[in-house]
Structure formats: structure tokens, C-alpha cells
């Protein structure tokens, strides 16, 4: 994740006692500190926080949610689906299809005939349009 930080943004700082540069270089794993540096903000990590009184929508209480501060734009990751909401527009992807505002748009295009048949205008029921 990347957050567009600006001067004055509030958040949480995790201050580490020792050099964490090897961890930050994605070396991973447990290891001795890279240097003898102690108590430096160079070894801190900042996590942004809005400190606002915003609320997650009731339907998202069991989802991982990324949303704008005002709640109008949402990406919700559920156990069985991903939902993108921008204002009144809703795009949902789950095992049964891709839905836009409740309509399965994954079923609106079908090929008639063999897989090698040329593409043509097809209705949402799969019947060729004359």
C-alpha cells in the first residue's frame, strides 16, 4: 500500500532501538543489526492514521476495507468477493460472475456456434441478433 502523505499528516511511529536497514532492504528473516546505531529515527516506521470519526459501512464489518475518508469510494475484500464502490456505482467480482449494480455483466456476451465462429452481435441471452 502507498499513502499520499503530506506535511502535517498524523500517524503512528514504531521506533526501533536498533538498525533495521537490512529488514527494509527486504532481506527478511532474523539477523543481527547491520550497524551499532541505536535509537535513531532512521530506524522508525510511520503508519498513517486519519484520526477521524469515520465509520465502516455495516456490510463491511467482516471485510478488509480501503476507503476514502468520506466513505464514498470503497474497495472491500471479503472472503468470497471483491467489491469496488464509487458513489452509487458498485462493481462486484465473486465466483459466480462480475456484477455492476447487481447485474451480472459476465453473462452479457456469448459466442454462438463453434469457438472459431466469427464474432457478431449477440444478445444477452446468447442468441445472435438478426
Amino acid at each position: 500500500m502507498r499513502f499520499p502523505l503530506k506535511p502535517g499528516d498524523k500517524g503512528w511511529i514504531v521506533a526501533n532501538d536498533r538498525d533495521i536497514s537490512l529488514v527494509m532492504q527486504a532481506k527478511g528473516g532474523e539477523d543481527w543489526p547491520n550497524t551499532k546505531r541505536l535509537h535513531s529515527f532512521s530506524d522508525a516506521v510511520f503508519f498513517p492514521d486519519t484520526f477521524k470519526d469515520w465509520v465502516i459501512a455495516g456490510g463491511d464489518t467482516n471485510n478488509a476495507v480501503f476507503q476514502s475518508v468520506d466513505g464514498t469510494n470503497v474497495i472491500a475484500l471479503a472472503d468470497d468477493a471483491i467489491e469496488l464502490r464509487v458513489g452509487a456505482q458498485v462493481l462486484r467480482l465473486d465466483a459466480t460472475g462480475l456484477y455492476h449494480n447487481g447485474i451480472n455483466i459476465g453473462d452479457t456476451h456469448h459466442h454462438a456456434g463453434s469457438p472459431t465462429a466469427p464474432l457478431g452481435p449477440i444478445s444477452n441471452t446468447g442468441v445472435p441478433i438478426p
Side-chain angles (χ1 to χ4, degrees), residues 108-113 118-130:
T108 60
H109 178 79
H110 296 277
H111 291 267
L119 295 177
I122 305 295
S123 73
N124 62 358
T125 61
V127 177
I129 298 173

Side-chain angles (χ1 to χ4, degrees), residues 42-123:
S42 298
D43 301 313
V45 181
F46 179 77
F47 296 96
D49 194 340
T50 57
F51 291 106
K52 302 277 183 185
D53 290 328
W54 49 273
V55 178
I56 301 295
D60 288 325
T61 55
N62 293 320
N63 299 337
V65 176
F66 299 94
Q67 74 176 35
S68 58
V69 174
D70 65 3
T72 58
N73 301 318
V74 178
I75 299 172
L77 305 172
D79 289 336
D80 60 349
I82 299 171
E83 193 166 281
L84 173 65
R85 297 189 297 269
V86 180
Q89 300 297 315
V90 178
L91 189 62
R92 179 181 175 86
L93 176 64
D94 63 28
T96 63
L98 177 64
Y99 298 84
H100 179 252
N101 290 346
I103 299 170
N104 189 343
I105 61 175
D107 285 342
T108 60
H109 178 79
H110 296 277
H111 291 267
S114 73
T116 59
L119 295 177
I122 305 295
S123 73

